[in-house]
Amino acid sequence: FRDEAAYATAWQLFYEMQAIARTEGVPISDQDGARVIDGTKSLGAFKTSTWQDRRKNKPLEYDVFCGYIVRKSGRFELDVPVNRALFSLYRMMEQAG
């Protein structure tokens, strides 16, 4: 990540997902997060699948990314503000066309 705010947001998304996984008995370590998040630095300039889908007017997959975490958070009474915000923004973007 070149942008520190985006990097911090990626980590917050990871921590929210990690908390949900922990409630399901799935251990995900901070090292696992670092491998994925810091691993994106080696990708260079790339376009995410969500960006590509949006450009092609294809349905976005935000429900399987953020929606799952948001639904599980309610079940386990966990706070997932970043996933909730992204889920809402994706939904609004999709509805706007």
Side-chain angles (χ1 to χ4, degrees), residues 61-78:
E61 298 175 323
Y62 64 91
D63 190 57
V64 294
F65 298 134
C66 304
Y68 178 83
I69 299 298
V70 169
R71 285 188 297 281
K72 286 289 186 176
S73 73
R75 179 174 168 206
F76 298 117
E77 298 181 12
L78 294 171

Side-chain angles (χ1 to χ4, degrees), residues 7-42:
Y7 184 74
T9 300
W11 273 104
Q12 186 58 43
L13 286 166
F14 169 76
Y15 291 136
E16 291 176 10
M17 185 255 334
Q18 184 184 48
I20 297 295
R22 188 177 307 117
T23 63
E24 294 282 5
V26 178
I28 300 174
S29 70
D30 288 354
Q31 291 80 14
D32 294 326
R35 192 170 30 259
V36 172
I37 294 169
D38 293 336
T40 63
K41 292 177 183 177
S42 67

Side-chain angles (χ1 to χ4, degrees), residues 43-58:
L43 296 176
F46 73 98
K47 306 294 187 213
T48 66
S49 62
T50 300
W51 183 90
Q52 293 176 50
D53 288 347
R54 177 77 171 148
R55 297 279 298 180
K56 295 175 185 175
N57 292 319
K58 293 172 71 175

Side-chain angles (χ1 to χ4, degrees), residues 9-10 12-13 16 60 62-63 65-67 70 80-93:
T9 300
Q12 186 58 43
L13 286 166
E16 291 176 10
L60 303 181
Y62 64 91
D63 190 57
F65 298 134
C66 304
V70 169
V80 292
V82 178
N83 273 280
R84 190 173 302 285
L86 285 177
F87 181 72
S88 296
L89 291 170
Y90 277 131
R91 191 171 48 209
M92 285 176 13
M93 186 173 65

